[in-house]
Structures are given as structure tokens and as C-alpha cells.
Amino acid sequence: MTVNMTKGQAISLQKDDGGALTAVRMGLGWQAAPRRGLFGTRTREVDLDASAVLFADKQPLDVVFFRHLISDDGSVRHTGDNLVGGVGQGGDDEAILVDLQRVPVHIDQIVFTVNSFTGQTFQEVQNAFCRLVDETNGQELARYTLDGGGQYTAQIMAKVHRAGTGWQMTAIGNPANGRTFQDLMPAILPHL
């Protein structure tokens, strides 16, 4: 059953049977919002990029994004860059796979971000979401809608972090500005 998350909400990544999830997918989907023009309504392609920053004790150690598709340890993998969104018609346009069993023990948080590489604001985006899926069976576990439009070009979406012997997901939903994950680091740090 999917949990529709709200900003700041955390959920455990334990399975219903008490076992731990072994692999998850953080999916990102979006569509370009139609804009009124002189000759009617049209859409302009929007290039959003999903990234995952791996932290150990609040220090960034690795990142997975469209130019570095696999983490150095192989536990996190980006499925590839989508330059326009809306391809999945409600499905994932970009996805980041996390093998929770392979994440090195010193990595305690993985923060997921989305940014507009072309600098378009979220006012030009509609139906944007991130979702967490159990990669072993395809079941959607949680969904966070990225709503509110706004003059920002990025968002700190969510984080997966260690909680005792397991993992939790926390919806962050913090707007920011930047074309790349590097630009977002000052906005990420308060959420660690």
C-alpha cells in the first residue's frame, strides 16, 4: 500500500512481514506545464535531473547523477538522463536504484535532489513527483508530490537514512535554486 507523504514525514523501510527491504528505486516523474502564447497553448520541454548524494557523518562522499551513473561502491545506480519528462505518462522519467544491502556501513544518508539543468523554474512543471518503490516486487511504498510551482529551479526531495539496524525515508520537499547538485549543497546540509 502506498503512503502519500507530506513534507517532513518519515516512514520505515521495513516490509509488512517484518523483514527489511533490500533494494529500492527512487523514481522521479514530471511534465512540462502548458503555457499560453500568442498563438494558443504550447509546452516547452523541461530537463529535470535526479541526483543522489551519499553522506557519511554529514560529509558528502559520492554522488550519482547523469554524468556519474554508478556510485564508486556500486550500491547506487542512475538509470539515465531524460531531457524532456512526461515520457512515462505518469511513470518514472528518471530513476535511481539503491541496493540497501550493498551500501557501505559508513554511508548513513542518501539525499535525493531534483534540479532544472536548463534553469527553468518549477512554475513550468506539472504533475511532478518522487516515489519510492520496492525494487524486488515493483510495489510503490511511498509517493511525495512536488507541488507548489514556484520561482525555484531545484528541490531537495527526500532522504533515505539509517535508523537503528534498518532504513527510513523522510520527505524533505525543500525548494532551492541551482542547476546541479553542487549548487544545492548549502540547501542540503540543514537536512542531514
PDB file of all heavy atoms in Angstrom, residues 155-191:
ATOM      1  N   GLN A 155      14.825  21.186  -6.002  1.00  0.00           N
ATOM      2  CA  GLN A 155      14.176  20.780  -4.770  1.00  0.00           C
ATOM      3  C   GLN A 155      14.977  19.650  -4.131  1.00  0.00           C
ATOM      4  O   GLN A 155      15.461  18.759  -4.819  1.00  0.00           O
ATOM      5  CB  GLN A 155      12.743  20.312  -5.036  1.00  0.00           C
ATOM      6  CG  GLN A 155      11.980  20.149  -3.743  1.00  0.00           C
ATOM      7  CD  GLN A 155      10.478  20.100  -3.935  1.00  0.00           C
ATOM      8  OE1 GLN A 155       9.869  19.133  -3.519  1.00  0.00           O
ATOM      9  NE2 GLN A 155       9.896  21.118  -4.547  1.00  0.00           N
ATOM     10  N   ILE A 156      15.135  19.755  -2.812  1.00  0.00           N
ATOM     11  CA  ILE A 156      15.691  18.647  -2.035  1.00  0.00           C
ATOM     12  C   ILE A 156      14.485  17.764  -1.770  1.00  0.00           C
ATOM     13  O   ILE A 156      13.603  18.113  -0.985  1.00  0.00           O
ATOM     14  CB  ILE A 156      16.326  19.134  -0.705  1.00  0.00           C
ATOM     15  CG1 ILE A 156      17.198  20.379  -0.906  1.00  0.00           C
ATOM     16  CG2 ILE A 156      17.076  17.994  -0.037  1.00  0.00           C
ATOM     17  CD1 ILE A 156      18.274  20.266  -1.922  1.00  0.00           C
ATOM     18  N   MET A 157      14.395  16.613  -2.439  1.00  0.00           N
ATOM     19  CA  MET A 157      13.176  15.819  -2.420  1.00  0.00           C
ATOM     20  C   MET A 157      13.001  15.011  -1.150  1.00  0.00           C
ATOM     21  O   MET A 157      11.990  15.111  -0.476  1.00  0.00           O
ATOM     22  CB  MET A 157      13.162  14.834  -3.597  1.00  0.00           C
ATOM     23  CG  MET A 157      13.071  15.466  -4.938  1.00  0.00           C
ATOM     24  SD  MET A 157      12.825  14.261  -6.251  1.00  0.00           S
ATOM     25  CE  MET A 157      14.205  13.153  -6.049  1.00  0.00           C
ATOM     26  N   ALA A 158      13.961  14.156  -0.884  1.00  0.00           N
ATOM     27  CA  ALA A 158      13.807  13.183   0.197  1.00  0.00           C
ATOM     28  C   ALA A 158      15.166  12.626   0.556  1.00  0.00           C
ATOM     29  O   ALA A 158      16.153  12.850  -0.150  1.00  0.00           O
ATOM     30  CB  ALA A 158      12.877  12.054  -0.250  1.00  0.00           C
ATOM     31  N   LYS A 159      15.194  11.885   1.665  1.00  0.00           N
ATOM     32  CA  LYS A 159      16.426  11.183   2.009  1.00  0.00           C
ATOM     33  C   LYS A 159      16.066   9.808   2.537  1.00  0.00           C
ATOM     34  O   LYS A 159      15.000   9.582   3.109  1.00  0.00           O
ATOM     35  CB  LYS A 159      17.261  11.960   3.030  1.00  0.00           C
ATOM     36  CG  LYS A 159      16.662  12.046   4.420  1.00  0.00           C
ATOM     37  CD  LYS A 159      17.599  12.798   5.364  1.00  0.00           C
ATOM     38  CE  LYS A 159      17.016  12.928   6.761  1.00  0.00           C
ATOM     39  NZ  LYS A 159      17.960  13.580   7.678  1.00  0.00           N
ATOM     40  N   VAL A 160      16.975   8.880   2.289  1.00  0.00           N
ATOM     41  CA  VAL A 160      16.917   7.545   2.870  1.00  0.00           C
ATOM     42  C   VAL A 160      18.065   7.511   3.854  1.00  0.00           C
ATOM     43  O   VAL A 160      19.205   7.848   3.506  1.00  0.00           O
ATOM     44  CB  VAL A 160      17.060   6.456   1.783  1.00  0.00           C
ATOM     45  CG1 VAL A 160      17.164   5.083   2.391  1.00  0.00           C
ATOM     46  CG2 VAL A 160      15.882   6.521   0.820  1.00  0.00           C
ATOM     47  N   HIS A 161      17.773   7.168   5.115  1.00  0.00           N
ATOM     48  CA  HIS A 161      18.809   7.230   6.137  1.00  0.00           C
ATOM     49  C   HIS A 161      18.693   6.043   7.081  1.00  0.00           C
ATOM     50  O   HIS A 161      17.630   5.457   7.245  1.00  0.00           O
ATOM     51  CB  HIS A 161      18.735   8.554   6.900  1.00  0.00           C
ATOM     52  CG  HIS A 161      17.365   8.860   7.439  1.00  0.00           C
ATOM     53  ND1 HIS A 161      17.019   8.629   8.743  1.00  0.00           N
ATOM     54  CD2 HIS A 161      16.271   9.376   6.825  1.00  0.00           C
ATOM     55  CE1 HIS A 161      15.760   8.989   8.925  1.00  0.00           C
ATOM     56  NE2 HIS A 161      15.281   9.447   7.784  1.00  0.00           N
ATOM     57  N   ARG A 162      19.827   5.705   7.668  1.00  0.00           N
ATOM     58  CA  ARG A 162      19.863   4.586   8.605  1.00  0.00           C
ATOM     59  C   ARG A 162      19.105   4.957   9.880  1.00  0.00           C
ATOM     60  O   ARG A 162      19.201   6.071  10.372  1.00  0.00           O
ATOM     61  CB  ARG A 162      21.298   4.217   8.939  1.00  0.00           C
ATOM     62  CG  ARG A 162      22.044   3.641   7.746  1.00  0.00           C
ATOM     63  CD  ARG A 162      23.382   3.048   8.158  1.00  0.00           C
ATOM     64  NE  ARG A 162      24.170   2.700   6.997  1.00  0.00           N
ATOM     65  CZ  ARG A 162      24.118   1.533   6.366  1.00  0.00           C
ATOM     66  NH1 ARG A 162      23.314   0.586   6.793  1.00  0.00           N
ATOM     67  NH2 ARG A 162      24.894   1.312   5.312  1.00  0.00           N
ATOM     68  N   ALA A 163      18.353   3.978  10.388  1.00  0.00           N
ATOM     69  CA  ALA A 163      17.609   4.140  11.640  1.00  0.00           C
ATOM     70  C   ALA A 163      17.746   2.819  12.392  1.00  0.00           C
ATOM     71  O   ALA A 163      17.091   1.841  12.043  1.00  0.00           O
ATOM     72  CB  ALA A 163      16.147   4.467  11.368  1.00  0.00           C
ATOM     73  N   GLY A 164      18.645   2.794  13.355  1.00  0.00           N
ATOM     74  CA  GLY A 164      18.921   1.536  14.060  1.00  0.00           C
ATOM     75  C   GLY A 164      19.567   0.554  13.103  1.00  0.00           C
ATOM     76  O   GLY A 164      20.547   0.869  12.435  1.00  0.00           O
ATOM     77  N   THR A 165      18.969  -0.617  12.962  1.00  0.00           N
ATOM     78  CA  THR A 165      19.518  -1.626  12.051  1.00  0.00           C
ATOM     79  C   THR A 165      18.870  -1.569  10.675  1.00  0.00           C
ATOM     80  O   THR A 165      19.231  -2.344   9.795  1.00  0.00           O
ATOM     81  CB  THR A 165      19.321  -3.040  12.641  1.00  0.00           C
ATOM     82  OG1 THR A 165      17.917  -3.258  12.840  1.00  0.00           O
ATOM     83  CG2 THR A 165      20.070  -3.185  13.953  1.00  0.00           C
ATOM     84  N   GLY A 166      17.901  -0.665  10.484  1.00  0.00           N
ATOM     85  CA  GLY A 166      17.209  -0.570   9.206  1.00  0.00           C
ATOM     86  C   GLY A 166      17.360   0.797   8.566  1.00  0.00           C
ATOM     87  O   GLY A 166      18.283   1.553   8.884  1.00  0.00           O
ATOM     88  N   TRP A 167      16.448   1.104   7.679  1.00  0.00           N
ATOM     89  CA  TRP A 167      16.450   2.357   6.939  1.00  0.00           C
ATOM     90  C   TRP A 167      15.101   3.028   7.066  1.00  0.00           C
ATOM     91  O   TRP A 167      14.085   2.365   7.252  1.00  0.00           O
ATOM     92  CB  TRP A 167      16.736   2.099   5.459  1.00  0.00           C
ATOM     93  CG  TRP A 167      18.109   1.617   5.154  1.00  0.00           C
ATOM     94  CD1 TRP A 167      18.555   0.322   5.165  1.00  0.00           C
ATOM     95  CD2 TRP A 167      19.227   2.415   4.775  1.00  0.00           C
ATOM     96  NE1 TRP A 167      19.882   0.278   4.826  1.00  0.00           N
ATOM     97  CE2 TRP A 167      20.319   1.548   4.577  1.00  0.00           C
ATOM     98  CE3 TRP A 167      19.418   3.778   4.586  1.00  0.00           C
ATOM     99  CZ2 TRP A 167      21.574   1.996   4.191  1.00  0.00           C
ATOM    100  CZ3 TRP A 167      20.675   4.228   4.197  1.00  0.00           C
ATOM    101  CH2 TRP A 167      21.734   3.345   3.999  1.00  0.00           C
ATOM    102  N   GLN A 168      15.085   4.359   6.930  1.00  0.00           N
ATOM    103  CA  GLN A 168      13.868   5.154   6.873  1.00  0.00           C
ATOM    104  C   GLN A 168      13.953   6.073   5.676  1.00  0.00           C
ATOM    105  O   GLN A 168      15.039   6.416   5.212  1.00  0.00           O
ATOM    106  CB  GLN A 168      13.697   6.041   8.109  1.00  0.00           C
ATOM    107  CG  GLN A 168      13.190   5.357   9.324  1.00  0.00           C
ATOM    108  CD  GLN A 168      12.840   6.377  10.423  1.00  0.00           C
ATOM    109  OE1 GLN A 168      13.328   7.496  10.442  1.00  0.00           O
ATOM    110  NE2 GLN A 168      11.994   5.957  11.334  1.00  0.00           N
ATOM    111  N   MET A 169      12.780   6.497   5.197  1.00  0.00           N
ATOM    112  CA  MET A 169      12.708   7.542   4.179  1.00  0.00           C
ATOM    113  C   MET A 169      12.023   8.737   4.811  1.00  0.00           C
ATOM    114  O   MET A 169      11.016   8.588   5.497  1.00  0.00           O
ATOM    115  CB  MET A 169      11.915   7.088   2.970  1.00  0.00           C
ATOM    116  CG  MET A 169      11.743   8.185   1.934  1.00  0.00           C
ATOM    117  SD  MET A 169      10.607   7.697   0.632  1.00  0.00           S
ATOM    118  CE  MET A 169      10.366   9.266  -0.185  1.00  0.00           C
ATOM    119  N   THR A 170      12.569   9.928   4.579  1.00  0.00           N
ATOM    120  CA  THR A 170      11.966  11.167   5.050  1.00  0.00           C
ATOM    121  C   THR A 170      11.730  12.073   3.846  1.00  0.00           C
ATOM    122  O   THR A 170      12.649  12.317   3.065  1.00  0.00           O
ATOM    123  CB  THR A 170      12.875  11.885   6.070  1.00  0.00           C
ATOM    124  OG1 THR A 170      13.080  11.017   7.188  1.00  0.00           O
ATOM    125  CG2 THR A 170      12.265  13.185   6.538  1.00  0.00           C
ATOM    126  N   ALA A 171      10.492  12.551   3.689  1.00  0.00           N
ATOM    127  CA  ALA A 171      10.176  13.520   2.643  1.00  0.00           C
ATOM    128  C   ALA A 171      10.670  14.887   3.109  1.00  0.00           C
ATOM    129  O   ALA A 171      10.356  15.316   4.210  1.00  0.00           O
ATOM    130  CB  ALA A 171       8.673  13.553   2.394  1.00  0.00           C
ATOM    131  N   ILE A 172      11.466  15.547   2.282  1.00  0.00           N
ATOM    132  CA  ILE A 172      12.009  16.851   2.652  1.00  0.00           C
ATOM    133  C   ILE A 172      11.241  17.969   1.949  1.00  0.00           C
ATOM    134  O   ILE A 172      10.738  18.883   2.578  1.00  0.00           O
ATOM    135  CB  ILE A 172      13.521  16.931   2.358  1.00  0.00           C
ATOM    136  CG1 ILE A 172      14.256  15.890   3.208  1.00  0.00           C
ATOM    137  CG2 ILE A 172      14.047  18.337   2.623  1.00  0.00           C
ATOM    138  CD1 ILE A 172      15.719  15.730   2.876  1.00  0.00           C
ATOM    139  N   GLY A 173      11.183  17.924   0.630  1.00  0.00           N
ATOM    140  CA  GLY A 173      10.401  18.896  -0.118  1.00  0.00           C
ATOM    141  C   GLY A 173      10.822  20.332   0.074  1.00  0.00           C
ATOM    142  O   GLY A 173       9.975  21.227   0.125  1.00  0.00           O
ATOM    143  N   ASN A 174      12.118  20.581   0.141  1.00  0.00           N
ATOM    144  CA  ASN A 174      12.619  21.933   0.364  1.00  0.00           C
ATOM    145  C   ASN A 174      13.018  22.569  -0.974  1.00  0.00           C
ATOM    146  O   ASN A 174      13.915  22.076  -1.648  1.00  0.00           O
ATOM    147  CB  ASN A 174      13.821  21.889   1.303  1.00  0.00           C
ATOM    148  CG  ASN A 174      14.251  23.268   1.729  1.00  0.00           C
ATOM    149  OD1 ASN A 174      13.451  24.038   2.224  1.00  0.00           O
ATOM    150  ND2 ASN A 174      15.524  23.577   1.532  1.00  0.00           N
ATOM    151  N   PRO A 175      12.375  23.685  -1.373  1.00  0.00           N
ATOM    152  CA  PRO A 175      12.772  24.339  -2.613  1.00  0.00           C
ATOM    153  C   PRO A 175      14.154  24.964  -2.492  1.00  0.00           C
ATOM    154  O   PRO A 175      14.569  25.361  -1.406  1.00  0.00           O
ATOM    155  CB  PRO A 175      11.697  25.401  -2.830  1.00  0.00           C
ATOM    156  CG  PRO A 175      11.039  25.582  -1.520  1.00  0.00           C
ATOM    157  CD  PRO A 175      11.269  24.348  -0.710  1.00  0.00           C
ATOM    158  N   ALA A 176      14.836  25.035  -3.619  1.00  0.00           N
ATOM    159  CA  ALA A 176      16.180  25.605  -3.664  1.00  0.00           C
ATOM    160  C   ALA A 176      16.420  26.139  -5.073  1.00  0.00           C
ATOM    161  O   ALA A 176      15.571  26.005  -5.953  1.00  0.00           O
ATOM    162  CB  ALA A 176      17.217  24.542  -3.299  1.00  0.00           C
ATOM    163  N   ASN A 177      17.583  26.700  -5.273  1.00  0.00           N
ATOM    164  CA  ASN A 177      17.959  27.167  -6.602  1.00  0.00           C
ATOM    165  C   ASN A 177      19.317  26.601  -6.960  1.00  0.00           C
ATOM    166  O   ASN A 177      20.222  26.556  -6.131  1.00  0.00           O
ATOM    167  CB  ASN A 177      17.985  28.697  -6.664  1.00  0.00           C
ATOM    168  CG  ASN A 177      16.599  29.266  -6.748  1.00  0.00           C
ATOM    169  OD1 ASN A 177      15.884  29.024  -7.715  1.00  0.00           O
ATOM    170  ND2 ASN A 177      16.190  29.988  -5.729  1.00  0.00           N
ATOM    171  N   GLY A 178      19.432  26.145  -8.200  1.00  0.00           N
ATOM    172  CA  GLY A 178      20.684  25.609  -8.699  1.00  0.00           C
ATOM    173  C   GLY A 178      20.454  24.716  -9.898  1.00  0.00           C
ATOM    174  O   GLY A 178      19.407  24.087 -10.022  1.00  0.00           O
ATOM    175  N   ARG A 179      21.439  24.671 -10.762  1.00  0.00           N
ATOM    176  CA  ARG A 179      21.355  23.841 -11.961  1.00  0.00           C
ATOM    177  C   ARG A 179      21.893  22.440 -11.732  1.00  0.00           C
ATOM    178  O   ARG A 179      21.585  21.538 -12.494  1.00  0.00           O
ATOM    179  CB  ARG A 179      22.139  24.504 -13.098  1.00  0.00           C
ATOM    180  CG  ARG A 179      21.527  25.807 -13.570  1.00  0.00           C
ATOM    181  CD  ARG A 179      22.319  26.403 -14.731  1.00  0.00           C
ATOM    182  NE  ARG A 179      22.396  25.482 -15.836  1.00  0.00           N
ATOM    183  CZ  ARG A 179      23.554  25.108 -16.407  1.00  0.00           C
ATOM    184  NH1 ARG A 179      24.702  25.583 -15.982  1.00  0.00           N
ATOM    185  NH2 ARG A 179      23.542  24.260 -17.410  1.00  0.00           N
ATOM    186  N   THR A 180      22.736  22.250 -10.717  1.00  0.00           N
ATOM    187  CA  THR A 180      23.352  20.954 -10.457  1.00  0.00           C
ATOM    188  C   THR A 180      23.306  20.642  -8.961  1.00  0.00           C
ATOM    189  O   THR A 180      23.039  21.529  -8.144  1.00  0.00           O
ATOM    190  CB  THR A 180      24.833  20.937 -10.906  1.00  0.00           C
ATOM    191  OG1 THR A 180      25.565  21.847 -10.079  1.00  0.00           O
ATOM    192  CG2 THR A 180      24.978  21.313 -12.374  1.00  0.00           C
ATOM    193  N   PHE A 181      23.614  19.401  -8.623  1.00  0.00           N
ATOM    194  CA  PHE A 181      23.613  19.022  -7.210  1.00  0.00           C
ATOM    195  C   PHE A 181      24.661  19.823  -6.429  1.00  0.00           C
ATOM    196  O   PHE A 181      24.470  20.118  -5.253  1.00  0.00           O
ATOM    197  CB  PHE A 181      23.852  17.514  -7.042  1.00  0.00           C
ATOM    198  CG  PHE A 181      25.263  17.097  -7.327  1.00  0.00           C
ATOM    199  CD1 PHE A 181      26.212  17.067  -6.320  1.00  0.00           C
ATOM    200  CD2 PHE A 181      25.648  16.763  -8.613  1.00  0.00           C
ATOM    201  CE1 PHE A 181      27.523  16.705  -6.586  1.00  0.00           C
ATOM    202  CE2 PHE A 181      26.945  16.396  -8.883  1.00  0.00           C
ATOM    203  CZ  PHE A 181      27.895  16.367  -7.867  1.00  0.00           C
ATOM    204  N   GLN A 182      25.775  20.206  -7.068  1.00  0.00           N
ATOM    205  CA  GLN A 182      26.801  21.001  -6.372  1.00  0.00           C
ATOM    206  C   GLN A 182      26.220  22.325  -5.885  1.00  0.00           C
ATOM    207  O   GLN A 182      26.519  22.770  -4.783  1.00  0.00           O
ATOM    208  CB  GLN A 182      28.014  21.289  -7.278  1.00  0.00           C
ATOM    209  CG  GLN A 182      28.825  20.083  -7.645  1.00  0.00           C
ATOM    210  CD  GLN A 182      28.507  19.608  -9.063  1.00  0.00           C
ATOM    211  OE1 GLN A 182      27.377  19.670  -9.517  1.00  0.00           O
ATOM    212  NE2 GLN A 182      29.513  19.113  -9.750  1.00  0.00           N
ATOM    213  N   ASP A 183      25.379  22.940  -6.703  1.00  0.00           N
ATOM    214  CA  ASP A 183      24.755  24.201  -6.329  1.00  0.00           C
ATOM    215  C   ASP A 183      23.836  24.032  -5.118  1.00  0.00           C
ATOM    216  O   ASP A 183      23.576  24.994  -4.392  1.00  0.00           O
ATOM    217  CB  ASP A 183      23.906  24.753  -7.484  1.00  0.00           C
ATOM    218  CG  ASP A 183      24.713  25.071  -8.735  1.00  0.00           C
ATOM    219  OD1 ASP A 183      25.940  25.282  -8.620  1.00  0.00           O
ATOM    220  OD2 ASP A 183      24.117  25.094  -9.827  1.00  0.00           O
ATOM    221  N   LEU A 184      23.340  22.812  -4.901  1.00  0.00           N
ATOM    222  CA  LEU A 184      22.355  22.553  -3.848  1.00  0.00           C
ATOM    223  C   LEU A 184      22.964  22.180  -2.500  1.00  0.00           C
ATOM    224  O   LEU A 184      22.244  22.082  -1.505  1.00  0.00           O
ATOM    225  CB  LEU A 184      21.416  21.436  -4.293  1.00  0.00           C
ATOM    226  CG  LEU A 184      20.673  21.670  -5.603  1.00  0.00           C
ATOM    227  CD1 LEU A 184      19.784  20.487  -5.917  1.00  0.00           C
ATOM    228  CD2 LEU A 184      19.885  22.954  -5.559  1.00  0.00           C
ATOM    229  N   MET A 185      24.262  21.972  -2.446  1.00  0.00           N
ATOM    230  CA  MET A 185      24.874  21.512  -1.198  1.00  0.00           C
ATOM    231  C   MET A 185      24.549  22.405   0.007  1.00  0.00           C
ATOM    232  O   MET A 185      24.206  21.877   1.068  1.00  0.00           O
ATOM    233  CB  MET A 185      26.384  21.329  -1.365  1.00  0.00           C
ATOM    234  CG  MET A 185      26.764  20.174  -2.290  1.00  0.00           C
ATOM    235  SD  MET A 185      25.999  18.593  -1.874  1.00  0.00           S
ATOM    236  CE  MET A 185      26.918  18.204  -0.403  1.00  0.00           C
ATOM    237  N   PRO A 186      24.602  23.737  -0.094  1.00  0.00           N
ATOM    238  CA  PRO A 186      24.238  24.545   1.078  1.00  0.00           C
ATOM    239  C   PRO A 186      22.793  24.314   1.538  1.00  0.00           C
ATOM    240  O   PRO A 186      22.479  24.416   2.709  1.00  0.00           O
ATOM    241  CB  PRO A 186      24.448  25.989   0.606  1.00  0.00           C
ATOM    242  CG  PRO A 186      25.431  25.885  -0.524  1.00  0.00           C
ATOM    243  CD  PRO A 186      25.121  24.568  -1.195  1.00  0.00           C
ATOM    244  N   ALA A 187      21.897  24.003   0.605  1.00  0.00           N
ATOM    245  CA  ALA A 187      20.492  23.750   0.950  1.00  0.00           C
ATOM    246  C   ALA A 187      20.285  22.344   1.519  1.00  0.00           C
ATOM    247  O   ALA A 187      19.351  22.117   2.278  1.00  0.00           O
ATOM    248  CB  ALA A 187      19.603  23.937  -0.278  1.00  0.00           C
ATOM    249  N   ILE A 188      21.164  21.409   1.175  1.00  0.00           N
ATOM    250  CA  ILE A 188      21.045  20.030   1.658  1.00  0.00           C
ATOM    251  C   ILE A 188      21.499  19.922   3.120  1.00  0.00           C
ATOM    252  O   ILE A 188      20.860  19.243   3.932  1.00  0.00           O
ATOM    253  CB  ILE A 188      21.891  19.070   0.796  1.00  0.00           C
ATOM    254  CG1 ILE A 188      21.297  18.945  -0.612  1.00  0.00           C
ATOM    255  CG2 ILE A 188      22.019  17.691   1.457  1.00  0.00           C
ATOM    256  CD1 ILE A 188      22.175  18.172  -1.579  1.00  0.00           C
ATOM    257  N   LEU A 189      22.598  20.570   3.452  1.00  0.00           N
ATOM    258  CA  LEU A 189      23.225  20.390   4.764  1.00  0.00           C
ATOM    259  C   LEU A 189      22.299  20.546   5.966  1.00  0.00           C
ATOM    260  O   LEU A 189      22.395  19.768   6.912  1.00  0.00           O
ATOM    261  CB  LEU A 189      24.452  21.287   4.879  1.00  0.00           C
ATOM    262  CG  LEU A 189      25.592  20.945   3.903  1.00  0.00           C
ATOM    263  CD1 LEU A 189      26.735  21.945   4.036  1.00  0.00           C
ATOM    264  CD2 LEU A 189      26.080  19.524   4.092  1.00  0.00           C
ATOM    265  N   PRO A 190      21.352  21.499   5.985  1.00  0.00           N
ATOM    266  CA  PRO A 190      20.461  21.606   7.151  1.00  0.00           C
ATOM    267  C   PRO A 190      19.544  20.396   7.350  1.00  0.00           C
ATOM    268  O   PRO A 190      18.966  20.233   8.415  1.00  0.00           O
ATOM    269  CB  PRO A 190      19.638  22.861   6.863  1.00  0.00           C
ATOM    270  CG  PRO A 190      20.434  23.646   5.888  1.00  0.00           C
ATOM    271  CD  PRO A 190      21.184  22.629   5.086  1.00  0.00           C
ATOM    272  N   HIS A 191      19.417  19.546   6.342  1.00  0.00           N
ATOM    273  CA  HIS A 191      18.505  18.400   6.408  1.00  0.00           C
ATOM    274  C   HIS A 191      19.205  17.096   6.802  1.00  0.00           C
ATOM    275  O   HIS A 191      18.588  16.048   6.815  1.00  0.00           O
ATOM    276  CB  HIS A 191      17.782  18.223   5.079  1.00  0.00           C
ATOM    277  CG  HIS A 191      16.959  19.419   4.733  1.00  0.00           C
ATOM    278  ND1 HIS A 191      15.761  19.708   5.345  1.00  0.00           N
ATOM    279  CD2 HIS A 191      17.194  20.445   3.873  1.00  0.00           C
ATOM    280  CE1 HIS A 191      15.284  20.833   4.858  1.00  0.00           C
ATOM    281  NE2 HIS A 191      16.132  21.298   3.966  1.00  0.00           N
TER     282      HIS A 191
END
